Amino acid sequence: MSVARPVHSLLGRCIASTRSRAGSPTATSVVQCQQFHSSAPRSKRRSRFRNVKAEEMGLLNPSVLSKYRQEKFPDYTKEELELLKQKYTPEQLEALRAGEEAINTDDVIIQGRLRDDPYRPNYIEDFTVLDPRYDVKPKVDVTPKEPEWLSHNEWVDQYGSKMSQMTDTKTSHQLTRAMVRALRRVKESSGAELIDLTEDELKDLENDPELLKKYLIEGDGKQEPDANASGPDLLTRAQAMKLDEAVDAEWKKELDKLSSMADESEVEPSNLELLADGPAGVNRAYSAEAAELGKVPGVEGLYKSAADPEDEGQDDGGHYQEIKRLTGMTLKDIQSIYRKVLVTRWVSNQTRLGKVRSTSVVAIAGNGNGRLGLGIAKSTEAGLAAETAQLLAIRNMKPIRRYENRTIFGNVKAKVSGTVVELFSRPPGFGLRVPHRLFEMCRAAGIHDIHGRMPRSKNPMNSVKATYEALTSQVDPEEIAIGRGKKMVDVRKVYYGGAVY
């Protein structure tokens, strides 16, 4: 608020102005109410473009509208229709006519406006250029070459000839560029009138040595001009000798420079040139991959199918063939194994493209008769991870020591990270009094009487690992007896005749 103009004075002037308006509606002098801030009042913005109305253009008159339509949107003439038939197919012409009939020209005239500024979008298109944003790339009608099955010696010969041809081509291009540099130097020094090649032609020839074929004179059977002949387009003998000496001198300098700065990479074919005829090269359409190879002769019977006749059609996809090869078990034995997924957790791997979520699965497998396996797998698909973990558990099955085929030998303890698992042997009929994951592992291993506890962390994955480590690391009493030189006798089997259950 301004110090020189207090608030009560401004309010008083505003109130006085409103009273004067209410008391005398016909009063001519009215005091305007001033604003409380010192900023200038905002003026009304004007549009940058002038509004063009149809009334000002006279397009609302039917006669003017029809005249404007004939001028801006005339019908096709016979010549234009013939040109369109040459350019488009009958189906395309029919589509064009249908599109033009669907658009009302009166709406285009009154409501539409074609921009003519340099930043205008491309409204009108003749569809002669493909736009990758919405046009489908047409299929190239290329007839692939027939595949050639070369022997080792034939392939070596073909590869050697191709490499030598590429090396000769690059050497020829290098010598051509050296000759062009020599000619340019001679022309700049003393042969401007003797050499009719322009600077642009020399530059193009140096960039693309293949253009040298355009300047070479091939023998066509005509008689060569006489050496002593003269004319406006011919050089004299002295001029020719002078030009040859100058070019030879510069040519020798270029050759010496090339020999002193010899680089094998300039002569050897590059990787792109070697890949030109390969699967990733520009000639892919002419490679053997583009054709349907079919059955290769001479390899019949060398590859076994995924199905095994011994499986009797139960594994046609060959899902268990690898595990059969590793374990030596039959398909019936594999399918009879007890499998169970104990732990499933979801993990994420942070990459520069974002989080990649995966599923980590821990599974067990056992035959119920003293063998137990543990498998851990991870995949982006939960089903694939569970299936892989179960197959790994079958492959990793190990024997578990059991006393009287029902419990463990004594007490065992294992620790994985912060998880401690303690297992205790128990008499017959005690049952499985352990946590649920340990219960599944004991049942898969064929253990019926056991007690277990986890006094510390109850981490699911660590508890499974610790239990597996405890079961596989039991101490064998017979080994202890042999180490001590003693003989171990099972009293229960002696006095009870083996009836220990």
Side-chain angles (χ1 to χ4, degrees):
M1 185 57 61
S2 176
V3 178
R5 184 175 297 176
V7 179
H8 62 84
S9 63
L10 294 176
L11 290 175
R13 296 183 64 179
C14 292
I15 294 172
S17 63
T18 54
R19 288 178 179 176
S20 62
R21 291 177 187 175
S24 57
T26 58
T28 56
S29 61
V30 178
V31 180
Q32 185 179 3
C33 181
Q34 298 184 1
Q35 299 178 354
F36 288 99
H37 55 81
S38 59
S39 302
R42 181 180 178 182
S43 60
K44 185 179 179 181
R45 290 186 178 181
R46 293 184 179 181
S47 176
R48 295 173 56 189
F49 305 99
R50 188 175 64 89
N51 294 331
V52 180
K53 298 181 180 180
E55 298 176 355
E56 298 177 359
M57 298 178 64
L59 297 179
L60 297 182
N61 190 355
S63 59
V64 178
L65 186 63
S66 61
K67 182 180 178 181
Y68 188 83
R69 186 189 307 111
Q70 292 295 333
E71 180 182 354
K72 297 295 182 180
F73 302 98
D75 296 334
Y76 289 117
T77 60
K78 294 183 178 180
E79 293 79 5
E80 292 175 347
L81 290 176
E82 292 296 332
L83 293 176
L84 290 175
K85 289 180 181 179
Q86 297 177 4
K87 191 173 184 179
Y88 299 104
T89 61
E91 292 80 5
Q92 292 176 344
L93 282 177
E94 185 178 357
L96 290 175
R97 292 195 186 96
E100 291 182 356
E101 291 177 358
I103 299 175
N104 190 0
T105 55
D106 295 342
D107 295 340
V108 176
I109 294 172
I110 296 176
Q111 301 180 6
R113 183 169 67 92
L114 296 179
R115 293 172 53 181
D116 55 356
D117 57 284
Y119 303 102
R120 65 184 182 277
N122 190 14
Y123 292 115
I124 303 175
E125 186 178 359
D126 56 354
F127 301 103
T128 57
V129 180
L130 293 178
D131 194 331
R133 293 176 295 178
Y134 42 79
D135 291 332
V136 180
K137 187 176 180 180
K139 294 183 179 180
V140 182
D141 189 9
V142 178
T143 303
K145 296 181 180 179
E146 291 294 333
E148 299 179 0
W149 306 102
L150 305 176
S151 62
H152 180 71
N153 295 332
E154 293 175 349
W155 183 86
V156 170
D157 295 340
Q158 184 178 1
Y159 182 78
S161 61
K162 185 181 296 185
M163 289 288 292
S164 61
Q165 183 179 0
M166 290 183 180
T167 305
D168 294 342
T169 303
K170 297 201 72 172
T171 305
S172 176
H173 290 174
Q174 196 173 13
L175 295 177
T176 302
R177 293 189 181 95
M179 176 59 73
V180 170
R181 291 193 293 268
L183 291 176
R184 182 186 289 112
R185 198 173 291 111
V186 171
K187 183 176 181 179
E188 292 175 355
S189 59
S190 59
E193 300 177 355
L194 303 179
I195 300 176
D196 56 351
L197 293 175
T198 62
E199 183 63 27
D200 295 337
E201 291 176 346
L202 291 175
K203 187 180 297 183
D204 295 340
L205 190 59
E206 186 176 4
N207 294 332
D208 188 8
E210 293 292 337
L211 296 177
L212 182 63
K213 300 177 182 179
K214 185 174 67 174
Y215 300 99
L216 295 178
I217 301 176
E218 299 180 357
D220 52 357
K222 296 182 180 180
Q223 185 178 2
E224 296 182 358
D226 189 7
N228 297 323
S230 61
D233 297 334
L234 299 176
L235 298 177
T236 62
R237 190 178 187 86
Q239 291 176 342
M241 293 180 63
K242 180 181 178 182
L243 181 61
D244 290 342
E245 292 177 358
V247 171
D248 289 342
E250 297 295 337
W251 171 247
K252 290 181 180 179
K253 293 180 181 179
E254 290 293 334
L255 290 181
D256 295 340
K257 188 183 298 184
L258 288 177
S259 60
S260 61
M261 300 175 59
D263 189 2
E264 296 181 356
S265 61
E266 297 182 0
V267 182
E268 293 181 353
S270 62
N271 294 333
L272 294 178
E273 293 175 346
L274 293 177
L275 292 175
D277 296 331
V282 295
N283 300 332
R284 182 181 176 87
Y286 300 98
S287 64
E289 289 188 358
E292 295 182 1
L293 299 179
K295 293 185 178 180
V296 181
V299 298
E300 185 178 359
L302 297 181
Y303 300 95
K304 295 180 64 177
S305 60
D308 191 355
E310 297 181 357
D311 298 338
E312 299 178 355
Q314 298 182 8
D315 187 23
D316 294 336
H319 182 68
Y320 295 100
Q321 297 302 317
E322 184 67 16
I323 197 69
K324 285 171 58 179
R325 185 184 66 83
L326 294 174
T327 59
M329 295 187 296
T330 62
L331 180 61
K332 186 177 181 180
D333 297 337
I334 294 175
Q335 292 179 347
S336 63
I337 292 176
Y338 175 77
R339 291 170 285 180
K340 183 75 173 180
V341 175
L342 297 183
V343 181
T344 302
R345 61 173 186 166
W346 292 267
V347 295
S348 298
N349 181 24
Q350 182 68 44
T351 64
R352 62 177 182 177
L353 302 179
K355 290 185 178 180
V356 180
R357 299 188 178 275
S358 303
T359 304
S360 180
V361 176
V362 179
I364 60 167
N367 61 351
N369 192 20
R371 294 185 67 86
L372 181 66
L374 181 66
I376 303 175
K378 183 172 64 174
S379 175
T380 55
E381 298 290 338
L384 180 61
E387 188 176 356
T388 306
Q390 293 176 10
L391 293 178
L392 289 175
I394 295 175
R395 192 182 70 175
N396 299 332
M397 283 197 305
K398 295 181 180 180
I400 303 297
R401 292 190 178 93
R402 296 180 300 163
Y403 176 65
E404 297 177 351
N405 294 334
R406 61 173 184 83
T407 186
I408 60 176
F409 284 93
N411 303 332
V412 291
K413 180 179 179 181
K415 179 177 181 296
V416 174
S417 188
T419 302
V420 177
V421 175
E422 298 176 354
L423 301 178
F424 309 95
S425 61
R426 285 295 180 262
F430 186 83
L432 298 176
R433 302 184 186 182
V434 290
H436 65 284
R437 293 187 180 87
L438 280 64
F439 178 89
E440 297 293 344
M441 297 181 68
C442 294
R443 185 170 66 170
I447 298 175
H448 310 291
D449 301 313
I450 194 173
H451 170 61
R453 64 180 182 179
M454 292 187 292
R456 293 180 59 182
S457 174
K458 308 296 191 298
N459 184 273
M461 181 169 288
N462 291 339
S463 62
V464 173
K465 291 181 180 179
T467 304
Y468 186 73
E469 182 180 346
L471 292 176
T472 54
S473 62
Q474 297 181 56
V475 180
D476 190 1
E478 293 184 358
E479 294 181 359
I480 298 176
I482 293 173
R484 294 181 180 180
K486 304 290 184 179
K487 182 179 180 181
M488 187 183 69
V489 178
D490 191 348
V491 181
R492 298 189 62 191
K493 292 183 179 180
V494 173
Y495 288 97
Y496 294 98
V500 295
Y501 293 101

